[in-house]
Each structure stands twice: as structure tokens, then as C-alpha cells.
Amino acid sequence: SQQGEEDPQALSIQEGENATMNCSYKTSINNLQWYRQNSGRGLVHLILIRSNEREKHSGRLRVTLDTSKKSSSLLITASRAADTASYFCATVLGNQFYFGTGTSLTVIP
Amino acid sequence: EAGVAQSPRYKIIEKRQSVAFWCNPISGHATLYWYQQILGQGPKLLIQFQNNGVVDDSQLPKDRFSAERLKGVDSTLKIQPAKLEDSAVYLCASSLMAGPYEQYFGPGTRLTVT
């Protein structure tokens, strides 16, 4: 299966700390995307990194991609209580989107 | 810009009953997706439309699930008859076109089958 797998499954940190979550996948990709899902809501796109890129930044988000290891990481710096959500990676090849199993992040105020 | 709209937000039905979900994508978005998200899991693609044509329905349980996108805008997803294992959130998403582009998601419909 192409589906990515995130780890850890759950992460709990104090406000102000950094949060890192990882995504591993199995086959080739065109790009990899990260999404956030607040409880009871739909997914919101955070950042897209192409297969020929190694690192990308957006505000407090930093994404890395290592295609040789078939893995990506999402770093959220200076976390806030509002960052509490589930985070999913999506591997994309052509028209195919495969979402991972998600990391549940809790930021304690 | 209005987002992706879905209705209803919640639905409770008994097994073997039928149910339908509605989705209105962002205006101008050619591609529409239906996902099934079981509690604690990531979304699983059920069907993808490009305008009113089906691009991918390989994971749609066609014996009980059907979907259509008339006139290339709104879409409906139907389940008939429902099973207990269909309990999930059904998410609709749209993107400007098919391919490796970001998707915009609606709030989802939470279905409970008893």
C-alpha cells in the first residue's frame, strides 16, 4: 500500500515547545502534503513539498523530505494551544492521494 | 471565497436503510473527491470526479455505494443498504483540477449506523 504512516500516533507537549511528527511511505511520489484536522472538522491544507525539494518553510511550520528514505517530517515551532489537532501526511502520485494514519497533537496551555 | 459545503452534518440510520450525502464544491473547482474516514484513521478515497466524469472509483464498494456529479458541480454519495461498518465521517473535497494539487475539504457528514 502507498499509504503513509505517521509517528508518533499521539504527542502531548507544553505550549511553547516544538512538535515533530514523521511520515513514512512506500513508493514514489510527485509531492507530499501535510494537513491538519481539528476535532469534528474537515482537513485543512498546511504545506506541500515536491519530490525534488528537501525542505520547505511556512510560518511556524518546517517540512523536510528525504525521498531516499521515503520519509518526511513536520516541525511546528513555538506551539500554541490552538495547534491541538490531528495531523496527516498525504502522499501524491499523479491523481492518487493516500492519507496516512495521523498524529494526534495535544498542546497543553 | 465560499468553502466546500456538505449536508447533512450528522445522520443516524439503522442497518439496511439507505442514506444520501450532498456536496457543493468550491466554485470553479473541476475535481471533486469523496473520502471515508473511520474513527482514528486517515481519510480513504472512495471516488474522484473530474467535472462529471469518474477518474478513480477503485475503492468504492459498488455493491452498496454509488455517487454522481451531475453537470460537473454538486455531487451526491449514496449508501444502500447501509451496514454497521459504514459508520464513519464522509468527507467531500475539491481541487482546481486533477493531479498533485492541494485539496479543500468540507466539514464532513458523520454517519452512525445502528
Side-chain angles (χ1 to χ4, degrees), chain A residues 1-6 23-26 89-91 98-102:
Chain A
S1 166
Q2 169 75 321
Q3 188 176 37
E5 291 194 6
E6 287 94 334
C23 170
S24 60
Y25 57 93
K26 295 181 180 177
C89 67
T91 54
Y98 295 96
F99 283 88
T101 51

Side-chain angles (χ1 to χ4, degrees), chain B residues 38-99:
Chain B
I38 292 172
L39 186 65
Q41 298 182 18
K44 183 185 85 171
L45 180 68
L46 293 176
I47 189 167
Q48 177 184 350
F49 291 96
Q50 175 71 10
N51 296 310
N52 59 350
V54 175
V55 174
D56 181 4
D57 64 355
S58 57
Q59 297 192 87
L60 187 73
K62 298 181 186 63
D63 57 334
R64 298 184 302 104
F65 286 64
S66 65
E68 60 181 8
R69 190 183 184 197
L70 299 176
K71 301 180 181 178
V73 181
D74 293 5
S75 177
T76 56
L77 176 69
K78 297 179 182 178
I79 307 175
Q80 183 179 14
K83 293 184 176 181
L84 295 177
E85 58 261 35
D86 297 333
S87 293
V89 175
Y90 291 84
L91 295 163
C92 178
S94 69
S95 63
L96 200 56
M97 61 186 75

Side-chain angles (χ1 to χ4, degrees), chain A residues 3 30-31 33 35 37 40-45 48 88 92-102, chain B residues 9 33 35 37 40-43 45 48 55-56 59 91 98-107 110:
Chain A
Q3 188 176 37
N30 290 133
N31 67 54
Q33 302 180 22
Y35 288 77
Q37 184 177 36
R41 310 289 288 273
L43 281 73
V44 174
H45 182 265
L48 180 156
F88 295 90
V92 186
L93 181 64
N95 293 328
Q96 302 294 319
F97 267 74
Y98 295 96
F99 283 88
T101 51
Chain B
R9 290 295 314 276
Y33 309 80
Y35 289 90
Q37 186 177 24
Q41 298 182 18
L45 180 68
Q48 177 184 350
V55 174
D56 181 4
Q59 297 192 87
L91 295 163
Y101 305 103
E102 68 177 271
Q103 297 184 16
Y104 295 81
F105 282 80
R110 182 176 297 276

